[in-house]
Structures are given as structure tokens and as C-alpha cells.
Amino acid sequence: MIEAIQRVYDAVLTFFQGIWDWITTGIYDFGVWAFAKLVEYLVWKSLEFKLWALDFGWDAAKVMLADLDFANRMQSAFDLLPASSVAILNALGVPQCITLVVTAALTRFLLRFIPGAT
């Protein structure tokens, strides 16, 4: 009978000792873990937002270039040059480079209007 009471007493003592250990040390470890998970989640969502904003800016820049009729304006400017110069510029890929730089500049310009995107 005494042994049964001793085992119950040990079980209750072990239970409350486990709770006390969790309150004194385990809650700190839990807090550190929870804060790390929160920071990880926020960083991940921040990166997702920046990727979305970049995609949005790129799409908006392409629409702006289409609305400005940039390709036709650039083609008409190249038509004013001699044929040999146009051939050299096309061989070097200058028209594609100009389009890429202008699109990047427009994307950067548009991203300034989205808070947290840059």
C-alpha cells in the first residue's frame, strides 16, 4: 500500500516538476522557436511580395512601352540611318539592348511607387 502511494506521489511530483521545468526553461526555448518561425515567415512573405512587385512592374513597363509605341519609334529612328550602320547595329544587338535598358528603367521607375518593393 505504501509503495502504491509512493509511486503516485512520484508520478505527481514528476508531472509538476515537468511543468515547472517548462515554465522556467522550456518557455524561453518555445519563445525563441516561435520568434524564429515568425521572422522566417515574414522574410518569406517579404520575398514573395518583392517577386510579385517585380513581375507587376515588368508587366506594367511592357504595357507602357506598347502604349508609347516604342518599337515603331525606334524602328523609324533606325530607318533614318544608312543601311550599313543599321546592319552593324543589328549584328551587335543594339536594338534589343536599347529595348531592354528602357524596359528596365521603366520597371525601376514603377517600382518606386510600390512601398517595400525596393
Side-chain angles (χ1 to χ4, degrees):
M1 178 74 170
I2 298 285
E3 291 175 10
I5 294 173
Q6 183 66 30
R7 275 188 262 137
V8 170
Y9 174 76
D10 288 341
V12 170
L13 188 64
T14 303
F15 174 75
F16 284 114
Q17 184 63 44
I19 291 174
W20 179 256
D21 289 343
W22 185 80
I23 289 173
T24 57
T25 59
I27 200 165
Y28 174 77
D29 295 336
F30 173 74
V32 168
W33 175 83
F35 188 71
K37 287 295 179 182
L38 176 68
V39 169
E40 178 184 341
Y41 176 78
L42 292 175
V43 167
W44 186 255
K45 289 301 175 183
S46 170
L47 290 175
E48 284 182 355
F49 172 73
K50 288 181 181 190
L51 286 174
W52 172 84
L54 186 62
D55 187 43
F56 173 77
W58 178 256
D59 290 341
K62 287 193 298 188
V63 168
M64 285 180 68
L65 284 176
D67 289 346
L68 292 174
D69 200 20
F70 181 75
N72 287 335
R73 288 178 191 226
M74 193 170 68
Q75 184 61 42
S76 64
F78 274 100
D79 289 341
L80 297 174
L81 297 173
S84 60
S85 298
V86 172
I88 292 172
L89 292 175
N90 283 333
L92 295 174
V94 171
Q96 293 85 359
C97 292
I98 292 172
T99 304
L100 185 65
V101 168
V102 170
T103 305
L106 279 173
T107 302
R108 182 178 177 202
F109 174 74
L110 290 173
L111 286 178
R112 289 185 182 177
F113 295 108
I114 301 173
T118 55

